[in-house]
Amino acid sequence: MSRRLLSLFFALFLCLPLIAAPLKIGVFIPGQREGSPIYDSLAAGAERFASENPGSSVRVFEAGFNQAEWQEKLTSFVGSNRFDVILTSNPSLPDLIEAIAPFFPSQKFICLDGYKTGVSALHTVLYNQTEQGYIAGYLAGLISSSALPGANPQKKAGMIIGQHYPVMDTLIAPGFEQGLKAVDPSFGLDIRVLGNWYDATKASDLAKSMIASGVDVILPICGSASQGVVKATKDLNRYLVFFDSDEYARAPGTILGCVALKQKELAYAKLAEFAQKATPWGRADVVGVKEGFIELLDRHPSYAQNLPQSIRGRMSDLIAGIASGALSFPAPRL
Ligand code: RBF
């Protein structure tokens, strides 16, 4: 063999681990894709991966809102197909995966927005939602304390949540409250619970009653039911801050800030890592602003149009402080 041929052969051999085999991806959505950006972005990340990696395929399964059926539906999704990897997203999924994994010894699972160590078939990545909540709370506090026309002198902010769950009760809500209190310690947080992730009429009623009690800025975390919160808040000329994705276009002038999760990018990155056989099985990672997976969407035209420079300046300082490490939120323990 000539030297050139030999070196070509050697170079190809070295590159082999970098050439990913096509993947059969199963995306398990514990809810519905429509109206929940956290789920839609998960599937979109997998679809992008498949479209860029010839031969790969994605099957998206929506398990619906009845949580009592999720375990059975996950079991039959895993059992009826031969996926290389199941990708899902929800804080309650790691426990369900742990329960069924022994019955499918060769099946691998990646769960975003979840946290569990020590299950060898599972890798989880949790967002640091204390940090995300704090950013949203700080912005909400500045809005409520401002001279904007919908703001009142009362120091009251609200959340409308789908249900109570550990990530909500130990990370998101405490983070939001800390952010509010960093603006002014006299802030009070009114949390109302919907009891599901889809009832927009009830969510609208909750928003109206909150606003009647003096709340002037609300963070809705209630899936597709948020449509009702948007309508009520817009009709009553109050304000919203949003989680998870770019929501500005739904109500310009009412939605004043979005603190997004880069769920699509994370789903894509985790599938690429899996394809390279580099997934850290059994490990639970936590990502936030520093890693680039939580982001205040402050470059959207709505943000500059609706918020005064005084607020935007304080938000930039906050984000710079988190990015530099001057302000940090301990990796959560769940
Ligand atoms: N978030 C949604 O946007 N839509 C949902 O349907 C939804 N269902 C959830 C069900 C359970 C059991 C839990 C624990 C959380 C759910 N979430 C849902 C919230 C989601 O995990 C995340 O906390 C929020 O999207 C905020 O980032």
Side-chain angles (χ1 to χ4, degrees):
M1 217 181 294
S2 80
R3 262 179 100 134
R4 271 180 72 182
L5 212 74
L6 200 72
S7 54
L8 184 73
F9 184 76
F10 195 62
L12 270 176
F13 182 75
L14 279 179
C15 285
L16 261 185
L18 297 175
I19 300 167
L23 292 188
K24 282 187 74 181
I25 305 158
V27 177
F28 183 85
I29 307 251
Q32 274 180 15
R33 194 170 169 172
E34 161 115 45
S36 291
I38 195 159
Y39 294 150
D40 189 50
S41 311
L42 180 79
E47 284 159 353
R48 191 183 128 205
F49 181 88
S51 74
E52 290 177 9
N53 290 273
S56 294
S57 64
V58 184
R59 196 159 151 236
V60 179
F61 177 77
E62 293 174 289
F65 292 116
N66 186 346
Q67 294 166 22
E69 293 175 358
W70 288 355
Q71 175 135 354
E72 199 185 317
K73 286 185 166 173
L74 179 63
T75 307
S76 52
F77 187 56
V78 175
S80 64
N81 297 276
R82 253 184 242 113
F83 295 115
D84 297 308
V85 63
I86 305 274
L87 177 68
T88 188
S89 169
N90 189 285
S92 70
L93 258 289
D95 283 346
L96 304 188
I97 291 167
E98 185 179 31
I100 71 161
F103 300 103
F104 303 98
S106 60
Q107 183 63 64
K108 298 292 188 196
F109 299 86
I110 296 172
C111 181
L112 311 186
D113 183 27
Y115 188 95
K116 186 174 273 292
T117 55
V119 177
S120 61
L122 173 66
H123 171 45
T124 63
V125 188
L126 186 77
Y127 296 101
N128 187 338
Q129 291 195 300
T130 309
E131 186 177 84
Q132 186 189 13
Y134 188 97
I135 297 166
Y138 195 72
L139 178 58
L142 292 174
I143 291 167
S144 180
S145 309
S146 73
L148 286 165
N152 61 33
Q154 296 179 60
K155 297 280 176 275
K156 276 185 166 183
M159 288 179 75
I160 297 177
I161 64 173
Q163 67 184 84
H164 281 291
Y165 49 104
V167 169
M168 175 56 70
D169 301 339
T170 61
L171 312 182
I172 302 177
F176 189 71
E177 193 167 7
Q178 269 181 55
L180 287 168
K181 289 190 189 294
V183 173
D184 185 331
S186 70
F187 260 106
L189 173 59
D190 184 354
I191 302 181
R192 308 280 176 105
V193 188
L194 194 57
N196 62 63
W197 296 88
Y198 53 83
D199 188 346
T201 310
K202 187 173 171 197
S204 163
D205 291 344
L206 291 177
K208 283 180 197 158
S209 117
M210 239 180 198
I211 289 170
S213 79
V215 165
D216 52 8
V217 54
I218 300 173
L219 168 65
I221 301 186
C222 52
S224 51
S226 69
Q227 201 46 43
V229 183
V230 172
K231 173 139 193 357
T233 310
K234 193 173 163 205
D235 290 350
L236 297 170
N237 297 312
R238 295 293 184 259
Y239 300 115
L240 293 171
V241 291
F242 251 93
F243 250 38
D244 294 354
S245 61
D246 180 342
E247 303 286 332
Y248 293 107
R250 287 171 66 181
T254 301
I255 299 175
L256 300 190
C258 301
V259 191
L261 301 177
K262 307 297 265 182
Q263 171 94 333
K264 183 176 170 185
E265 290 76 2
L266 187 58
Y268 183 94
K270 287 288 142 185
L271 289 171
E273 183 182 69
F274 177 83
Q276 302 295 342
K277 305 202 185 317
T279 306
W281 298 114
R283 204 170 85 189
D285 288 345
V286 180
V287 297
V289 169
K290 268 189 162 175
E291 295 78 15
F293 292 107
I294 291 177
E295 188 189 6
L296 171 68
L297 302 181
D298 54 5
R299 281 169 305 204
H300 192 283
S302 265
Y303 185 83
Q305 266 159 31
N306 294 311
L307 291 173
Q309 173 53 38
S310 54
I311 292 185
R312 284 182 280 133
R314 287 187 65 181
M315 290 309 293
S316 309
D317 292 347
L318 172 68
I319 300 298
I322 295 173
S324 75
L327 182 60
S328 67
F329 302 89
R333 265 183 218 156
L334 288 169

